[in-house]
Amino acid sequence: LGEIAECDADVARALQLDANCALAIATQAGRMADEGQTRQAIAQLDAAIDKLPGDASLHIASGWQHQENDRLNEALRDYQQAMALDPQNMRGYVNAAAVLHSLGRNSEAADLWDNGANACPDNGQLAYNAGTALYQQRDYERAIGHLDRARQLIGERNDVQMNRAQTLQMLGRHQEAIDEWQQLYRREPHWDWVLNGLVESYYRLGDTANAQRYSWELDQLSGDHEGTVKLGWLLFHDRKSEELIELVEPLAKATHSRPEFGQMMGMSLRRQEKFPEALQWMERTVATHEDYHWARGDLANILSEIYSRHDEALKHIQIAISMAPDSAFYRCVHGEILERKNGPGKKGGWLKRLFGG
């Protein structure tokens, strides 16, 4: 609250009443560190731990000071000791997992969350934290067990239900995901995460009418056709070119259309081997959205692979690389263009392998 003087006075009074009050000692050490006296703060905590070796909160406070000063292994030892002393202390799991992530030991962090939540089966918040952390590690099978328990213990809460629905979605359990999304939708009808989830799960179940309905609602919410973009990419990755063209062509022809629609048109027509129309859409998209590098990558490939216009293709792919220098895709396209330009080429290179021509 920023009431520093009052805080210091309360700590001093607490220590007068009990010189071994762990909370007061930890708070005082934190205040010392805030004033730049980090070494003295850690020394005070070390002395307190020697007197009170069984107090988990002192190890948490000591670990935090080490963590703040990039002494991560020392911090981890403190947090591990805190968890051993008090398995219900959620802060130990949270901080230890953060340290393990910083050390690049992500699988250990995931195991820590899993073991910690299993050791505290009645702690709904810990179950939620563990499920969320495992979801972020793409460990969906373990994540859903903890999120199911969090849902049972905590009940209807937006973050719990959203993360559970997303995990169910990743596991392909779309009807269960929809049940959760629908409960969220009744409370939060204008939440884009919910609408995105409904679009995808209904689409995956083959319910295109509901997928379309919620994509339209997302369009209305975003004001920028976010729902149609979402549905369009789902159709694209399922190679439903005719349905995709029917969906986006009217929008792609609009004066101020989103570049994704032009890209979808170009790539869908290319898949249908309607190369002149595909090229026209790709050139149009690049001309109207010069900074949309994905369209340049598509254009570069078709110019070289289908039309043998390698010099033009090189120009576009080099611009795309300058916009997205970390893109391995563009560098592969660049290499294939050079192969075609400098020697006998082979149609159906990187793009065909990725998208199926």
Side-chain angles (χ1 to χ4, degrees):
L1 298 175
E3 298 175 355
I4 302 302
E6 291 84 348
C7 172
D8 290 343
D10 285 343
V11 167
R13 177 64 176 155
L15 291 172
Q16 283 179 352
L17 295 171
D18 179 4
N20 292 324
C21 176
L23 178 59
I25 294 168
T27 304
Q28 188 176 67
R31 287 280 298 115
M32 294 168 68
D34 290 342
E35 297 293 331
Q37 302 174 52
T38 303
R39 191 172 301 172
Q40 296 93 317
I42 292 175
Q44 177 169 310
L45 289 167
D46 287 343
I49 288 170
D50 287 341
K51 290 182 182 179
L52 303 166
D55 194 293
S57 65
L58 291 172
H59 286 282
I60 295 290
S62 176
W64 180 251
Q65 292 305 324
H66 287 305
Q67 185 178 350
E68 285 287 276
N69 288 277
D70 292 324
R71 292 191 285 271
L72 298 183
N73 288 314
E74 292 90 335
L76 186 58
R77 282 195 292 271
D78 267 317
Y79 295 144
Q80 289 170 332
Q81 184 62 31
M83 289 184 288
L85 291 167
D86 182 6
Q88 294 283 340
N89 192 317
M90 194 161 44
R91 181 50 54 189
Y93 294 103
V94 172
N95 290 7
V99 169
L100 287 168
H101 282 303
S102 297
L103 292 169
R105 295 159 61 180
N106 294 331
S107 63
E108 290 178 66
D111 289 341
L112 175 66
W113 280 118
D114 190 45
N115 294 334
N118 286 332
C120 308
D122 297 326
N123 190 323
Q125 186 61 43
L126 184 54
Y128 166 74
N129 289 347
T132 300
L134 289 163
Y135 172 85
Q136 291 169 343
Q137 290 295 309
R138 300 182 181 182
D139 191 342
Y140 304 122
E141 290 289 351
R142 285 199 293 179
I144 197 60
H146 296 301
L147 291 168
D148 282 346
R149 190 165 73 255
R151 180 73 166 83
Q152 292 168 359
L153 293 169
I154 296 173
E156 293 187 3
R157 197 177 82 184
N158 285 0
D159 53 349
V160 175
Q161 290 180 267
M162 183 182 79
N163 288 6
R164 181 172 179 269
Q166 288 180 317
T167 305
L168 289 167
Q169 205 168 57
M170 297 306 297
L171 290 168
R173 293 162 58 182
H174 290 288
Q175 186 56 60
E176 294 171 85
I178 286 170
D179 294 342
E180 199 75 281
W181 288 126
Q182 284 290 1
Q183 288 197 33
L184 278 166
Y185 177 74
R186 285 191 283 273
R187 293 200 307 274
E188 306 286 352
H190 302 302
W191 196 3
D192 59 344
W193 283 93
V194 175
L195 294 171
N196 267 293
L198 287 167
V199 172
E200 179 151 355
S201 283
Y202 275 118
Y203 174 83
R204 296 298 182 195
L205 290 177
D207 187 344
T208 53
N210 270 314
Q212 183 75 72
R213 171 197 163 182
Y214 290 109
S215 74
W216 285 338
E217 289 194 26
L218 185 53
D219 283 351
Q220 295 293 318
L221 179 65
S222 69
D224 195 25
H225 298 293
E226 281 292 338
T228 303
V229 169
K230 170 78 174 180
L231 185 55
W233 285 127
L234 291 169
L235 290 166
F236 176 79
H237 288 296
D238 280 353
R239 306 182 58 76
K240 296 180 178 178
S241 297
E242 290 184 9
E243 294 175 52
L244 176 55
I245 289 170
E246 182 181 355
L247 176 70
V248 304
E249 186 171 16
L251 295 170
K253 289 180 176 178
T255 304
H256 300 292
S257 70
R258 288 186 58 144
E260 292 96 324
F261 297 142
Q263 184 187 17
M264 292 175 191
M265 287 295 300
M267 290 303 297
S268 296
L269 290 162
R270 186 187 191 283
R271 280 178 168 169
Q272 295 177 334
E273 298 188 359
K274 298 177 180 178
F275 300 125
E277 295 95 324
L279 178 61
Q280 184 179 20
W281 274 107
M282 292 176 185
E283 289 179 328
R284 171 178 171 166
T285 305
V286 168
T288 55
H289 299 87
E290 293 182 357
D291 296 333
Y292 188 70
H293 57 80
W294 290 277
R296 285 189 184 273
D298 298 340
L299 177 57
N301 195 277
I302 197 172
L303 283 170
S304 175
E305 185 175 354
I306 303 302
Y307 290 98
S308 298
R309 291 158 59 179
H310 307 305
D311 290 332
E312 292 175 71
L314 282 171
K315 173 186 171 184
H316 286 294
I317 200 62
Q318 286 163 359
I319 294 172
I321 291 171
S322 72
M323 293 177 177
D326 296 329
S327 172
F329 171 74
Y330 292 155
R331 296 198 177 277
C332 286
V333 172
H334 184 260
E336 291 191 346
I337 294 170
L338 289 175
E339 287 178 5
R340 297 187 196 106
K341 175 180 169 66
N342 297 326
K346 189 179 187 181
K347 287 192 177 183
W350 173 263
L351 198 66
K352 182 169 279 190
R353 292 197 300 273
L354 184 64
F355 291 131

